[in-house]
């Protein structure tokens, strides 16, 4: 994860924003974001009175899913599965890194 992704994710987790701003941070269209949220494919998002809060991991997930959908003409469920696998791979790499640094 790049520094700008970490920074934007940290700031967004503490902020409540309109859907369009959250979609902009995810680099997706607002309709796309809302559809995937309603289908349960984007965890760690919440809405209160039309204002949204999103976790940094969900920003990265949305970006990955959109890229998989676009690059491979994948259905949202397949893109979500790929995002799950990539997140797991990231977690495993982080565990290995911590073990080799210790």
């Amino acid at each position: 994860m790049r520094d700008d992704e970490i920074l934007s994710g940290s700031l967004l987790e503490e902020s409540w924003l309109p859907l369009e701003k959250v979609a902009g941070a995810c680099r997706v269209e607002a309709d796309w974001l809302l559809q995937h949220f309603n289908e349960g494919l984007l965890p760690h998002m919440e809405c209160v009175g039309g204002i949204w809060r999103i976790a940094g991991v969900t920003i990265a997930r949305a970006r990955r899913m959109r890229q998989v959908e676009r690059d491979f003409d994948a259905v949202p469920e397949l893109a979500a599965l790929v995002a799950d696998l990539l997140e797991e791979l990231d977690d495993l790499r982080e565990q290995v890194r911590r073990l080799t640094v210790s």
Side-chain angles (χ1 to χ4, degrees):
M1 186 175 289
R2 296 183 331 221
D3 289 341
D4 65 331
E5 291 175 348
I6 293 169
L7 179 60
S8 68
S10 298
L11 291 174
L12 285 175
E13 286 179 24
E14 299 171 9
S15 301
W16 289 86
L17 302 166
L19 182 62
E20 293 76 20
K21 294 229 185 231
V22 174
C26 295
R27 299 183 191 139
V28 300
E29 303 80 24
D31 290 342
W32 184 96
L33 190 65
L34 192 55
Q35 176 187 357
H36 287 67
F37 171 77
N38 288 334
E39 292 175 4
L41 301 175
L42 293 171
H44 311 293
M45 283 181 64
E46 60 182 315
C47 178
V48 175
I51 304 298
W52 293 79
R53 184 167 63 180
I54 185 170
V57 295
T58 305
I59 294 170
R61 179 181 180 82
R63 289 176 181 175
R64 283 178 168 168
M65 287 176 59
R66 183 66 182 119
Q67 183 176 3
V68 169
E69 288 178 14
R70 187 177 323 129
D71 292 351
F72 300 101
D73 196 28
V75 296
E77 296 80 9
L78 178 59
L81 176 61
V82 170
D84 288 342
L85 294 172
L86 290 171
E87 290 164 10
E88 184 67 25
L89 186 59
D90 289 345
D91 290 344
L92 291 171
R93 286 179 176 151
E94 180 61 24
Q95 288 178 20
V96 168
R97 187 194 64 76
R98 275 186 265 148
L99 289 173
T100 58
V101 170
S102 301

